[in-house]
Amino acid sequence: MSDRKPAGQFLDAAIDLLRRVRDEEANSIEAAGTLLADTVQNGGRLFAFGAGHSSLAAQDVVYRAGGLALMNLLTVPGVVGVDVMPATLGSALERVDGLASAVLDSSPLREGDALVIISLSGRNALPVEMAMNARALGVRVIGVTSVAYASETTSRHTSGTFLKDHCDIVLDSKIAVGDAELTLDTVPAPFAPASTVVTSALVQAVTATAAGALADRGIEPPLLRSGNVDGGHEWNGRVLEQYRDRIFYRR
């Protein structure tokens, strides 16, 4: 390692990963943003899902200032975030066969919608089954994952496949297996995960692309503004009312 302190080393590693996804995933980001724009234009709804820490990037694009108002969080009780007690239960639920089917059966997802599924490893039953079943419903699926896991680990789904195998578009986060960017001789385990930084940036790049694509077509993107700027609440009220039949995080 360099002589730089861990904070600088981590930031350098994160910046390098962001540069890689900017340069190597540009075509996939463009395709994913175009898919979201097509879905909005065609009257479809947008959903995002992630389990555990992968849910952070999904939550970051839902009801978000500067984000698309139509992006809804697809929730699975016990796995969205780390608020479940004990926290290890969330990890266990990701490996349960059939859970995704039960969730999709009771969700508003329908043919013509788009679903962003975020899973760093893409190996657990939940994201794999979620992608498989969503596509069977006629939903377009964008997967955000680290492709390296597919060659360096084994699948935990009965099919032996990974999330990346069941998506219309795959965005590779480039995160190394284990999700820890730093090592030190004095520290017994690798540390400093960068997946949240990179995955969030990837998903925001996709939504930014979608907004630009809609504008290029002469369609006003359904964007939310910050409630902490003058006129923000009024703006958001108009957008939420206009698209109320495609938004599920409000009553």
Side-chain angles (χ1 to χ4, degrees):
M1 292 182 66
S2 73
D3 294 331
R4 299 194 65 186
K5 293 182 178 180
Q9 293 170 353
F10 172 75
L11 291 171
D12 285 345
I15 290 168
D16 288 343
L17 285 164
L18 289 170
R19 285 181 174 140
R20 282 191 65 195
V21 297
R22 178 196 64 191
D23 297 339
E24 299 173 21
E25 297 300 300
N27 290 339
S28 295
I29 291 170
E30 184 70 23
T34 300
L35 189 157
L36 294 190
D38 291 344
T39 304
V40 172
Q41 183 175 3
N42 294 332
R45 294 87 57 81
L46 309 179
F47 295 85
F49 167 77
H53 287 93
S54 290
S55 72
L56 298 176
Q59 293 178 57
D60 192 48
V61 291
V62 176
Y63 189 53
R64 188 70 163 86
L68 295 171
L70 273 62
M71 186 64 77
N72 300 279
L73 188 66
L74 182 62
T75 59
V76 178
V79 305
V80 178
V82 291
D83 57 339
V84 62
M85 296 295 289
T88 50
L89 176 60
S91 298
L93 289 173
E94 286 187 67
R95 304 176 188 181
V96 174
D97 291 327
L99 181 56
S101 298
V103 170
L104 289 176
D105 286 346
S106 60
S107 80
L109 269 168
R110 67 187 185 194
E111 184 176 0
D113 292 344
L115 171 61
V116 179
I117 300 178
I118 303 165
S119 173
L120 177 60
S121 72
R123 69 189 295 223
N124 288 312
L126 183 55
V128 174
E129 187 181 287
M130 186 79 73
M132 293 173 67
N133 291 6
R135 291 183 83 191
L137 292 173
V139 174
R140 303 292 298 279
V141 175
I142 299 168
V144 185
T145 187
S146 170
V147 172
Y149 276 84
S151 59
E152 299 181 40
T153 69
T154 56
S155 170
R156 289 181 173 139
H157 188 255
T158 54
S159 67
T161 60
F162 288 76
L163 169 62
K164 73 174 186 64
D165 300 316
H166 305 284
C167 300
D168 295 281
I169 300 168
V170 175
L171 300 174
D172 184 3
S173 65
K174 316 295 182 183
I175 300 295
V177 173
D179 191 18
E181 294 300 318
L182 303 185
T183 58
L184 282 176
D185 293 340
T186 54
V187 178
F191 60 103
S195 60
T196 302
V197 174
V198 177
T199 302
S200 293
L202 264 173
V203 180
Q204 290 291 356
V206 169
T207 58
T209 300
L214 288 167
D216 288 343
R217 302 173 190 180
I219 301 170
E220 180 183 327
L223 297 170
L224 295 172
R225 288 187 172 182
S226 172
N228 295 313
V229 300
D230 292 342
H233 285 298
E234 292 76 15
W235 172 281
N236 291 343
R238 175 183 65 82
V239 174
L240 294 173
E241 179 61 29
Q242 180 179 351
Y243 291 98
R244 63 182 307 154
D245 61 329
R246 297 155 76 179
I247 295 172
F248 300 95
Y249 51 80
R250 57 166 292 174
R251 294 187 182 275

